[in-house]
Amino acid sequence: MTLGNTTVKQTISTMSLLTHLLACLFGTGSWVSVNGLWVELPLIVPHIPESWYLPSYLSILIQMANIGPLFITLMHRFHPGVLNETAVIYVIISLGTVASFLLGFFWKDTAVVAGVPRSVALLALTFFLATVDCTSSVTFLPFMMRLKPQYLTTYYIGEGVSGLLPALVALIQGVGVVHCTNNTQFWNHTLNSYNSSVTFDLQAQYQPANFSTEVFFFFLSAMMLVCLAAFLLLNYHPDVAREHPSSRSTNRVKERSQKNRKWVEEKPMMEPSRPENHKHRSSFGTGAYSWMQVFYIFAILAWANALTNAVLPSVQSYSCMPYGNKVYHLSATMAAVSNPLACFIAMFLPIRSLLLMGALSVIGSAVGAYIMGMAALSPCPLLVHETSGGVIIVFAWIVCVLTLSYVKVIIGVILRDEGHSALVWCGAVVQLGSLLGAATMFPLVSVYSYFSSGDPCNTKCP
């Protein structure tokens, strides 16, 4: 009997690990394509006419792609049940796979538009990739309702890995490694005189990567295929099916519902600010939160995503490059590590306190303000010639991403308990925040040129 119980426990453990792995791989496909484009910019920019204006163009294209989430959200609102969520996910993952693959062939191709050469293929395919990734916010999250609540946190870990993995591959690739070479020139003052002057000039030379940009895009396409395979297994693998709440007996479902109701009733004790009178509760989800609290949660969600998805990525190079190429890559990599780390922490410490959520948002925003300040001072930010300057900016990126990512995961966990519709709105607010952030940064970066990158080899700072 003991042996039989042990076998059952091992089977359950294996099944649980398999589901966690598939949920993580499924989440990895959510933003891997767009994140991959961001980290590959140093190798893309020298070969395209848009040069370093490309990041701001990417931000606008990504936000224009919110037409996908808008359509999904409106369909859920006005025609619930009509849209086949599973079919939509199959379509967007397949589209992402094909678009990433085509980028490997056409990313350098240009066409003349209004008399100016433009990277039409790159921009068009980027729009399709952005549409895929933005739409994943309102389709992948609701799909996770089919599994137990703990798998949502695993999904968020995978979403964090979608930024970490391309960053690590880019490091192996050797993206944007700069060496300053001496370009000394001799000038004669007069035609018949031996008097001459020497001009010392350093020229930035980007070292060739260990493998090409084409190979990197094929890697992104392969990651989308892995995401598709994980989604297929989440839908059809018999062991994973046992993790679906709908596959359990009616009594087990009722028992879980009773526990959820009991937890909701006990939540006012955990959150003193929550009204005890049912008349003051909202009609949102289970009604456990007042409309003021719902607005508070969504406002923080929009703000956190505006910072992490649009505002800060637009100025990352300006805030870090003055301290050196190594600092830039270290900050990008450690920021990418911080995202899944925050999700991992949330798996074991899912603190749902609205007060803590606000406090962490304030801390992350304050550190983000320091990052913006250093970007505005570029190419001569504070402590530019000091090692401590580079250490502080890397630490700032880690703290900012870590705190705001934790806030986003906790909000996702809270809204997961409020039902399928709440997660759809969660994805919509994520994209709305990102849209507002990008709309704010585009004119500052591309129109008014408030930020200056400087020359990595010749910039003189006092």
Side-chain angles (χ1 to χ4, degrees):
M1 189 67 180
T2 303
L3 180 61
N5 290 336
T6 303
T7 304
V8 170
K9 289 180 180 179
Q10 289 176 348
T11 303
I12 293 174
S13 177
T14 303
M15 175 185 64
S16 177
L17 287 175
L18 172 64
T19 310
H20 276 295
L21 176 62
L22 293 177
C24 183
L25 292 176
F26 177 55
T28 301
S30 58
W31 283 93
V32 68
S33 300
V34 169
N35 288 332
L37 279 171
W38 282 110
V39 299
E40 194 71 2
L41 284 179
L43 288 185
I44 296 176
V45 163
H47 301 282
I48 60 172
E50 289 78 11
S51 187
W52 277 108
Y53 285 107
L54 181 62
S56 58
Y57 292 152
L58 289 183
S59 297
I60 290 299
L61 285 172
I62 291 169
Q63 304 319 315
M64 288 173 60
N66 279 310
I67 187 174
L70 177 63
F71 173 75
I72 299 294
T73 304
L74 292 177
M75 287 294 293
H76 276 289
R77 175 65 180 86
F78 297 105
H79 300 285
V82 173
L83 202 62
N84 188 330
E85 198 170 74
T86 302
V88 172
I89 294 177
Y90 278 124
V91 170
I92 62 175
I93 296 178
S94 300
L95 178 61
T97 304
V98 173
S100 299
F101 187 76
L102 291 177
L103 270 175
F105 295 100
F106 302 112
W107 70 274
K108 284 195 290 189
D109 290 2
T110 60
V112 178
V113 178
V116 179
R118 294 292 182 192
S119 305
V120 176
L122 174 64
L123 297 176
L125 290 172
T126 296
F127 175 76
F128 286 119
L129 288 179
T131 303
V132 169
D133 291 358
C134 290
T135 308
S136 72
S137 296
V138 293
T139 52
F140 285 20
L141 275 175
F143 172 80
M144 294 305 297
M145 281 290 296
R146 303 183 185 186
L147 300 174
K148 292 178 179 179
Q150 59 264 34
Y151 294 113
L152 181 63
T153 307
T154 309
Y155 166 83
Y156 273 116
I157 292 177
E159 195 173 86
V161 171
S162 71
L164 171 62
L165 199 55
L168 293 178
V169 173
L171 280 179
I172 297 172
Q173 186 183 15
V175 168
V177 177
V178 179
H179 288 288
C180 298
T181 59
N182 190 3
N183 189 28
T184 304
Q185 296 180 348
F186 295 88
W187 300 92
N188 288 327
H189 290 295
T190 61
L191 183 64
N192 297 319
S193 173
Y194 292 101
N195 295 328
S196 62
S197 62
V198 182
T199 302
F200 293 96
D201 183 34
L202 294 177
Q203 185 175 8
Q205 289 188 348
Y206 288 86
Q207 300 303 301
N210 295 323
F211 54 87
S212 67
T213 302
E214 289 81 1
V215 172
F216 185 83
F217 284 131
F218 294 148
F219 159 76
L220 295 182
S221 182
M223 287 304 303
M224 292 302 296
L225 279 177
V226 170
C227 174
L228 180 59
F231 183 60
L232 282 168
L233 291 174
L234 284 174
N235 272 297
Y236 299 112
H237 197 285
D239 287 340
V240 176
R242 299 172 189 169
E243 297 292 295
H244 292 192
S246 60
S247 66
R248 297 185 179 274
S249 63
T250 304
N251 292 335
R252 193 68 63 84
V253 172
K254 289 182 178 179
E255 181 182 346
R256 181 181 173 190
S257 299
Q258 290 172 357
K259 289 182 179 180
N260 284 340
R261 283 198 296 270
K262 181 179 179 182
W263 181 79
V264 169
E265 291 172 358
E266 292 175 351
K267 281 165 74 175
M269 298 176 61
M270 299 168 59
E271 294 286 346
S273 61
R274 187 162 307 138
E276 296 182 6
N277 192 340
H278 289 269
K279 292 181 180 179
H280 293 90
R281 292 185 178 181
S282 69
S283 57
F284 180 82
T286 63
Y289 293 91
S290 68
W291 279 118
M292 185 63 70
Q293 289 170 324
V294 171
F295 176 78
Y296 169 79
I297 291 171
F298 279 131
I300 288 181
L301 181 65
W303 175 255
N305 281 278
L307 288 181
T308 57
N309 295 349
V311 174
L312 295 179
S314 298
V315 299
Q316 184 168 28
S317 60
Y318 299 107
S319 68
C320 298
M321 284 300 290
Y323 297 101
N325 188 262
K326 291 182 179 179
V327 170
Y328 170 71
H329 286 291
L330 185 60
S331 66
T333 304
M334 294 309 297
V337 171
S338 299
N339 194 323
L341 178 60
C343 301
F344 190 75
I345 294 172
M347 178 180 290
F348 297 98
L349 293 173
I351 304 173
R352 300 164 186 251
S353 169
L354 300 186
L355 182 61
L356 176 64
M357 188 187 303
L360 290 177
S361 299
V362 170
I363 293 172
S365 300
V367 178
Y370 174 81
I371 293 173
M372 288 292 294
M374 296 306 100
L377 293 174
S378 176
C380 298
L382 299 178
L383 303 173
V384 65
H385 297 304
E386 304 292 334
T387 303
S388 58
V391 173
I392 292 173
I393 197 67
V394 171
F395 183 71
W397 272 98
I398 294 173
V399 172
C400 183
V401 175
L402 187 66
T403 53
L404 295 179
S405 295
Y406 182 85
V407 168
K408 291 191 290 183
V409 175
I410 293 303
I411 291 177
V413 171
I414 289 174
L415 296 179
R416 195 265 178 216
D417 291 323
E418 297 303 305
H420 181 278
S421 178
L423 282 182
V424 174
W425 282 107
C426 175
V429 171
V430 166
Q431 296 310 122
L432 175 62
S434 302
L435 171 62
L436 295 176
T440 302
M441 293 305 298
F442 181 79
L444 296 179
V445 175
S446 300
V447 179
Y448 299 107
S449 301
Y450 282 154
F451 301 93
S452 176
S453 58
D455 190 314
C457 294
N458 295 302
T459 299
K460 304 296 183 181
C461 293

